[in-house]
Amino acid sequence: MDEFSIDQVLAEVAVLVKPHFGKGRPADYIPQLATVPGSKFGMAVCTLDGGEHVIGDADEPFSVQSITKVFALGLALNRFGDEVWTRVGKEPSGTPFNHLSQLEAEGGVPRNPFINAGALAITDHLLETVRDPAALVRGFAGFLADAPVQIDEAVAASELAHAHQNRAIAHLMRGRGTISHDPEAVVAAYCRQCALTMSCRQLARALLPLAAGGFSPVIQETIFPERLTRRLNALLLTCGIYDSVGSFAYRVGLPAKSGVGGGIVAVVPGKAVICVWSPELDRFGTSVVGTAALEAFSQLTNCSVL
């Protein structure tokens, strides 16, 4: 992927995705997110050699939502190691990200850290060492992106006001002993974490360590051990897109994480990180245009890992 060809590819992708606008709808169960125009589209590619290639609204901050789960999990694994896996599994769920009956049937242990139950368990873990896990995640993401990033308090309040399913999940896990803190405190911290705002360029920069064996070319520091980086990418490939992860792997073939704010980050190991944003979602909670853009990019560059 040379620099000239990446710019050409992004221009071609922007044309190819036009028929996909209007096929989804924003996350209207979080009212603040429903106000974002569906026509928004940005894409950024950050390469290990320092190249940055953008198109559209790639520098406009948006609500990162569940993509923050990658930062939170990385922090937890760096701090607690394999102890994390005593509270949460590593298997695809095959169910929606806020599913409750599966969690109850399986004794209150979440299938993986990227569904909401798993993310709440990670937040509970972080509460053992910090009073404000959302601020920790914000600081970590900003450090990796080498840029100040913010939490949108209006989005956080909107999300918390409608977090009934997440409250039910947290109370179930508290009853089963999976989490140890007050469920309301855990949900509040999680909602603030999800309200982090970043741009496509910032997200691609921040997650470059996943493409570089744990090393950040942006800040010139090792963030994760190489072994941990491989495991994070494996989890992204098998669990990062919820119950449509198989379809996404079939179409795109890259480790990735989506968020209901319309963002998707995909890792090309050894080469680059790609972030795309478009707020209209499919029925699984993943950006329609974003998935189409990554599929087109993968096909045009032959960068799939599968």
Side-chain angles (χ1 to χ4, degrees):
M1 292 193 295
D2 61 75
E3 293 193 5
F4 182 68
S5 65
I6 292 176
D7 291 330
Q8 283 185 317
V9 167
L10 288 179
E12 187 168 351
V13 167
V15 173
L16 291 172
V17 299
K18 285 183 178 178
H20 296 278
F21 285 93
K23 292 184 177 180
R25 56 186 298 177
D28 52 8
Y29 59 90
I30 302 173
Q32 199 71 17
L33 297 185
T35 65
V36 182
S39 59
K40 291 290 185 180
F41 171 72
M43 195 166 182
V45 180
C46 291
T47 58
L48 300 193
D49 61 4
E52 295 187 354
H53 311 269
V54 299
I55 197 166
D57 302 306
D59 287 313
E60 180 174 336
F62 63 92
S63 190
V64 177
Q65 294 293 313
S66 284
I67 299 173
T68 60
K69 294 171 182 175
V70 183
F71 299 118
L73 178 61
L75 284 165
L77 287 170
N78 264 350
R79 288 178 176 228
F80 302 106
D82 286 343
E83 183 186 336
V84 168
W85 306 122
T86 64
R87 301 193 188 193
V88 61
K90 312 179 193 73
E91 299 297 330
S93 66
T95 56
F97 55 81
N98 60 354
H99 205 60
L100 195 59
S101 61
Q102 182 183 68
L103 180 67
E104 184 174 19
E106 297 182 353
V109 178
R111 279 285 181 99
N112 65 71
F114 294 144
I115 56 175
N116 288 12
L120 288 165
I122 296 298
T123 297
D124 180 76
H125 223 338
L126 292 176
L127 276 166
E128 294 178 7
T129 58
V130 294
R131 295 181 61 183
D132 189 350
L136 179 67
V137 170
R138 179 192 64 193
F140 187 46
F143 171 67
L144 294 178
D146 195 26
V149 298
Q150 303 299 325
I151 290 173
D152 187 325
E153 298 296 347
V155 171
S158 180
E159 194 156 353
L160 185 60
H162 296 83
H164 308 300
Q165 191 86 350
N166 283 336
R167 286 187 174 92
I169 289 169
H171 280 281
L172 192 158
M173 289 197 297
R174 183 68 182 91
R176 297 298 181 93
T178 306
I179 66 174
S180 57
H181 294 87
D182 174 33
E184 291 297 322
V186 175
V187 171
Y190 171 68
C191 287
R192 289 196 73 244
Q193 169 192 306
C194 287
L196 182 70
T197 62
M198 297 177 72
S199 69
C200 290
R201 190 197 298 263
Q202 290 171 340
L203 275 168
R205 282 180 185 168
L207 290 175
L208 269 175
L210 296 184
F215 179 77
S216 169
V218 176
I219 58 173
Q220 294 291 301
E221 287 189 28
T222 297
I223 306 302
F224 305 118
E226 186 175 359
R227 174 169 167 265
L228 174 55
T229 305
R230 291 197 305 270
R231 291 182 167 184
L232 284 169
N233 282 328
L235 285 165
L236 289 171
L237 186 63
T238 58
C239 306
I241 314 290
Y242 308 126
D243 47 330
S244 65
V245 67
S247 174
F248 187 90
Y250 182 86
R251 292 177 61 184
V252 178
L254 293 171
K257 184 73 196 81
S258 61
V260 297
I264 310 175
V265 176
V267 180
V268 186
K271 294 183 179 180
V273 172
I274 311 159
C275 182
V276 61
W277 169 53
S278 188
E280 295 177 338
L281 311 178
D282 63 19
R283 63 190 180 92
F284 302 107
T286 302
S287 173
V288 173
V289 173
T291 301
L294 287 169
E295 180 180 19
F297 187 94
S298 176
Q299 290 178 351
L300 290 168
T301 60
N302 194 30
C303 68
S304 169
V305 300
L306 302 175

